[in-house]
């Protein structure tokens, strides 16, 4: 039998609580219900900002990679899937922003509650898993360049399918348990995780610790290990000693990847872990629970912000990606000018573009015209 839907919904039941747990069973808690009104205005605004920036950045990445499918690489396959996962994750933000705006009242129906929650959970896992894959790919390419040449596009595609499969499996509990229930004390139809009442605490804690392990600890260990060995390799490499500026730039990018991952996801997973301790009764101090309730929305926002940072770290900073973006932008400018300019200007501009196109056809990969 599922938990009593008439039980009060704690403010810790955030839109992303399907990544964390579900509303606390207040029958086992002496803490009063604390709802922070600022969440209903501030959080939707933050979600909208993250949504706009993330959609723009990841859409550009997808557009550039689709435009240059002929020069597809293993790294570009992972980058495309990462951007796709981030886009799908960000696409659910308007629903959760509305959920906050209406005071935890889900107005989109039971099906959308289940689908939006499952898509969000699936793509959170997929995004983190693809960041891990890209870190391992960079390790092989820099530390073992000869061995990395054995990588094939088919292998990368199979790995991408496996990653999506693992993400789907990790999200099955969310798809099964997430649903809409009317919370009489608040007068809202909430989108919540409805675990079996008699084993509620164990289910909540188990889900939280699974996400801590699969969604943060394991990826963090792999990412940190890969970039530690990359740093050691670059510091020892004689070729990079001759070009210290280039080496330092690569090392800064390596550090930025690890720091961004930790800063974006560590607060959320710490709060997730503490909330799991609340559900199993290890933490029962009302002040601590109140701090968790107040801090969790911002931890969630930081996790979403990682989807905005990913295009910068894995796309726009790379020289090859910058060349492709410049090429795509130049073609778009030509197409616009071709419609707007006079016939005399068309001929002159067309000649320039044709010259650029001939150069593109004859140049070696990785070189500029």
């Amino acid at each position: 039998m599922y938990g009593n839907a008439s039980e009060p919904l704690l403010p810790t039941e955030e839109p992303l609580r399907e990544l964390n747990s579900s509303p606390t069973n207040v029958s086992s808690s002496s803490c009063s219900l604390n709802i922070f009104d600022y969440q209903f205005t501030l959080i939707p605004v933050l979600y909208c900002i993250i949504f706009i920036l993330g959609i723009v950045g990841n859409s550009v990445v997808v557009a550039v990679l689709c435009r240059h499918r002929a020069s597809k690489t293993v790294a570009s396959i992972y980058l495309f899937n990462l951007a796709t996962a981030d886009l799908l994750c960000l696409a659910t933000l308007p629903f959760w922003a509305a959920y906050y705006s209406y005071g935890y009242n889900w107005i989109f129906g039971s099906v959308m509650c289940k689908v939006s929650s499952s898509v969000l959970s699936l793509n959170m896992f997929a995004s983190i898993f693809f960041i891990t894959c890209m870190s391992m790919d960079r390790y092989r390419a820099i530390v073992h360049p000869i061995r990395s040449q054995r990588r094939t596009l088919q292998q990368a595609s199979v790995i991408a399918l496996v990653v999506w499969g693992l993400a789907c499996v990790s999200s099955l509990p969310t798809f099964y348990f997430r649903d809409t229930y009317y919370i009489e004390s608040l007068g809202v139809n909430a989108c919540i995780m409805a675990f079996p009442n008699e084993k509620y605490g164990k289910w909540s804690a188990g889900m939280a610790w699974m996400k801590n392990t699969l969604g943060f600890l394991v990826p963090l260990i792999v990412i940190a290990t890969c970039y530690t060995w990359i740093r050691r390799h670059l510091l020892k490499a004689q070729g990079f000693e001759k070009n210290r500026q280039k080496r330092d730039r690569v090392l800064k990018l390596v550090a930025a990847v690890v720091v961004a991952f930790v800063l974006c996801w560590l607060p959320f997973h710490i709060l997730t872990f503490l909330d799991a301790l609340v559900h199993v009764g290890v933490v029962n101090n009302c002040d601590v629970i109140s701090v968790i309730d107040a801090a969790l929305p911002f931890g969630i926002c930081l996790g979403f912000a990682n989807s905005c940072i990913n295009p910068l770290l894995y796309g726009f900073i790379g020289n090859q990606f910058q060349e492709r973006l410049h090429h795509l932008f130049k073609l778009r400018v030509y197409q616009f000018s071709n419609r707007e300019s006079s016939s005399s200007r068309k001929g002159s501009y067309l000649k320039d573009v044709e010259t650029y196109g001939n150069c593109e056809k004859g140049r070696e990969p990785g070189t500029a015209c």
Side-chain angles (χ1 to χ4, degrees):
M1 181 177 180
Y2 291 109
N4 188 354
S6 64
E7 291 174 348
L9 181 70
L10 283 181
T12 48
E13 172 57 28
E14 309 299 345
L16 286 190
R17 285 304 261 190
E18 101 290 354
L19 302 182
N20 193 21
S21 63
S22 54
T24 302
N25 189 340
V26 296
S27 63
S28 61
S29 174
S30 59
C31 297
S32 60
L33 181 63
N34 297 314
I35 294 182
F36 304 96
D37 291 337
Y38 71 87
Q39 296 177 4
F40 301 144
T41 53
L42 180 58
I43 300 303
V45 172
L46 293 177
Y47 277 8
C48 290
I49 294 174
I50 294 172
F51 173 77
I52 294 172
L53 295 178
I55 289 292
V56 171
N58 287 285
S59 295
V60 171
V61 171
V62 171
V64 171
L65 294 178
C66 288
R67 179 64 179 80
H68 293 270
R69 285 177 293 182
S71 56
K72 185 164 58 175
T73 63
V74 171
S76 68
I77 290 177
Y78 293 145
L79 180 58
F80 176 83
N81 282 274
L82 174 63
T84 301
D86 285 338
L87 282 174
L88 290 174
C89 183
L90 291 166
T92 65
L93 274 185
F95 296 100
W96 302 117
Y99 188 43
Y100 269 109
S101 298
Y102 286 96
Y104 304 120
N105 188 37
W106 184 263
I107 62 175
F108 305 105
S110 175
V111 174
M112 282 304 299
C113 168
K114 189 176 290 288
V115 171
S116 297
S117 302
S118 301
V119 168
L120 188 60
S121 178
L122 184 151
N123 290 286
M124 184 203 74
F125 281 111
S127 177
I128 293 174
F129 290 165
F130 278 117
I131 291 175
T132 306
C133 288
M134 294 179 70
S135 301
M136 296 173 66
D137 184 67
R138 276 185 173 175
Y139 165 79
R140 294 186 61 188
I142 295 176
V143 180
H144 303 288
I146 298 178
R147 191 186 308 173
S148 69
Q149 293 178 2
R150 302 173 186 174
R151 299 172 302 166
T152 64
L153 299 181
Q154 290 76 13
Q155 291 175 344
S157 299
V158 171
I159 292 175
L161 290 176
V162 172
V163 168
W164 283 110
L166 290 175
C168 288
V169 172
S170 301
S171 304
L172 283 179
T174 298
F175 181 80
Y176 183 79
F177 288 110
R178 195 80 174 192
D179 209 341
T180 55
Y181 287 91
Y182 183 72
I183 308 299
E184 185 176 353
S185 61
L186 298 179
V188 298
N189 199 38
C191 180
I192 63 176
M193 293 284 278
F195 295 123
N197 193 42
E198 64 273 11
K199 297 181 180 179
Y200 181 85
K202 293 181 179 179
W203 271 102
S204 298
M207 287 281 294
W209 291 331
M210 180 194 75
K211 290 170 177 61
N212 286 155
T213 303
L214 295 181
F216 185 74
L217 288 178
V218 173
L220 178 62
I221 292 172
V222 175
I223 292 171
T225 301
C226 288
Y227 286 125
T228 298
W229 282 103
I230 289 174
R231 182 178 182 276
R232 290 181 179 179
H233 177 80
L234 293 179
L235 291 175
K236 293 180 180 179
Q238 295 180 354
F240 275 98
E241 282 293 339
K242 298 178 181 178
N243 193 346
R244 186 178 296 272
Q245 185 177 3
K246 181 179 179 181
R247 186 199 67 183
D248 291 343
R249 181 177 180 274
V250 174
L251 290 177
K252 288 179 180 179
L253 178 58
V254 166
V257 169
V258 178
V259 170
F261 181 83
V262 172
L263 289 181
C264 287
W265 286 112
L266 181 60
F268 170 75
H269 284 283
I270 289 178
L271 293 168
T272 299
F273 179 77
L274 292 176
D275 187 69
L277 296 182
V278 173
H279 284 293
V280 296
V282 176
V283 174
N284 51 25
N285 184 284
C286 292
D287 292 333
V288 174
I289 295 175
S290 182
V291 170
I292 296 173
D293 295 344
L296 185 61
F298 299 100
I300 293 169
C301 286
L302 280 175
F304 269 133
N306 191 238
S307 297
C308 302
I309 298 174
N310 286 338
L312 297 176
L313 292 178
Y314 298 101
F316 299 121
I317 293 179
N319 293 329
Q320 187 178 19
F321 184 88
Q322 290 179 7
E323 290 181 11
R324 294 176 176 179
L325 180 61
H326 176 73
H327 187 200
L328 180 64
F329 176 75
K330 190 168 184 177
L331 291 177
R332 289 291 180 265
V333 170
Y334 163 69
Q335 292 172 357
F336 176 78
S337 300
N338 191 38
R339 293 193 299 266
E340 300 294 331
S341 63
S342 62
S343 58
S344 59
R345 291 186 62 189
K346 284 185 195 175
S348 175
Y349 194 82
L350 180 60
K351 184 177 180 179
D352 292 339
V353 174
E354 288 176 348
T355 302
Y356 181 84
N358 291 334
C359 176
E360 284 287 311
K361 293 178 181 179
R363 75 181 181 91
E364 293 294 327
T367 62
C369 293

